[in-house]
Amino acid sequence: MPSDKSLSFTATLLANGHPVIILNEATDRPVNVAHHRPDPSRPSVLDASHALGILIGPNEAWEEDRNLGLIDFNLIADIPPTELYFRHHEGHYRLYVRSGKYLKYGVFTTNQGVTEACPIKQADPILWALRCAQTGQAIDLSNLASESAAVNLVHKETAGSLGMHGIGIGVGGFLAVDVPGVACDLRLNILEREVDWLSAS
């Protein structure tokens, strides 16, 4: 039977052909956006600074959003995709950050379902089911023959799919779980297979 180590790996993700990053690694101030789940009982603005998402440059492409008051940040860096460690556990995966200024952080979800990098304290990061985007079948490293695949991530507890929520008028977005929701097809690019937990940090 395969071990957790043999099914664990490091990888990057692309969404809509663009690198998935932790948003404020590429911005000059917090990434405050219109709330993706409007509710009169909570603020209409969401801080997505630590969220996983995409920011499609160049900075000038965001000028209309700034003029309309939809955002107030500037893009200050063109950074590579965030490297993630997919740690296998009982048929699911926990995600950890393995690059950039959030190195060794875990990927958690907020009460609003937003995926974000947070320090690891008492609780482990949430578990995700990795599914083939074409078939919806559960997959793991043992049945990923190539180093690249189109996948969906499904929250183990809520069964909600990870979807993309737009920032501004269509030049970026952040990943959040919807119940129910439309899954975002992510391009998984495996960097290293059979990565041990101790050597992944």
Side-chain angles (χ1 to χ4, degrees):
M1 183 174 177
S3 66
D4 284 338
K5 174 188 171 183
S6 71
L7 296 175
S8 298
F9 59 94
T10 57
T12 59
L13 295 170
L14 296 177
N16 302 325
H18 301 282
V20 172
I21 61 171
I22 299 166
L23 297 182
N24 80 340
E25 285 198 278
T27 64
D28 64 347
R29 62 185 66 191
V31 181
N32 293 314
V33 299
H35 209 292
H36 68 300
R37 291 182 185 167
D39 183 335
S41 67
R42 63 183 168 212
S44 60
V45 175
L46 173 75
D47 183 354
S49 299
H50 301 119
L52 295 176
I54 59 175
L55 295 173
I56 304 166
N59 185 54
E60 291 73 25
W62 296 84
E63 196 61 36
E64 186 174 355
D65 281 11
R66 283 190 286 271
N67 291 337
L68 292 171
L70 299 175
I71 62 164
D72 63 358
F73 61 81
N74 293 283
L75 271 62
I76 57 170
D78 186 13
I79 64 171
T82 297
E83 182 177 333
L84 298 167
Y85 174 51
F86 286 71
R87 185 185 186 191
H88 187 265
H89 177 75
E90 296 181 352
H92 292 78
Y93 284 96
R94 300 187 197 277
L95 274 59
Y96 300 83
V97 180
R98 287 295 176 257
S99 65
K101 68 181 181 181
Y102 295 102
L103 177 68
K104 299 184 182 180
Y105 278 41
V107 176
F108 294 81
T109 55
T110 67
N111 291 337
Q112 293 79 36
V114 179
T115 57
E116 63 178 21
C118 297
I120 299 168
K121 295 178 180 175
Q122 280 125 10
D124 288 322
I126 60 162
L127 288 165
W128 299 94
L130 195 61
R131 298 192 181 278
C132 173
Q134 286 82 25
T135 67
Q137 295 297 310
I139 54 177
D140 59 32
L141 194 61
S142 66
N143 47 31
L144 284 170
S146 69
E147 302 310 292
S148 183
V151 301
N152 301 133
L153 289 172
V154 179
H155 194 290
K156 181 179 185 290
E157 297 299 324
T158 67
S161 297
L162 199 57
M164 183 66 70
H165 296 269
I167 297 173
I169 53 176
V171 288
F174 61 93
L175 292 168
V177 177
D178 273 341
V179 187
V182 178
C184 176
D185 290 353
L186 299 165
R187 174 60 57 180
L188 179 75
N189 295 310
I190 297 171
L191 302 174
E192 184 179 356
R193 291 172 175 261
E194 300 186 21
V195 178
D196 183 66
W197 168 242
L198 296 176
S199 65
S201 58

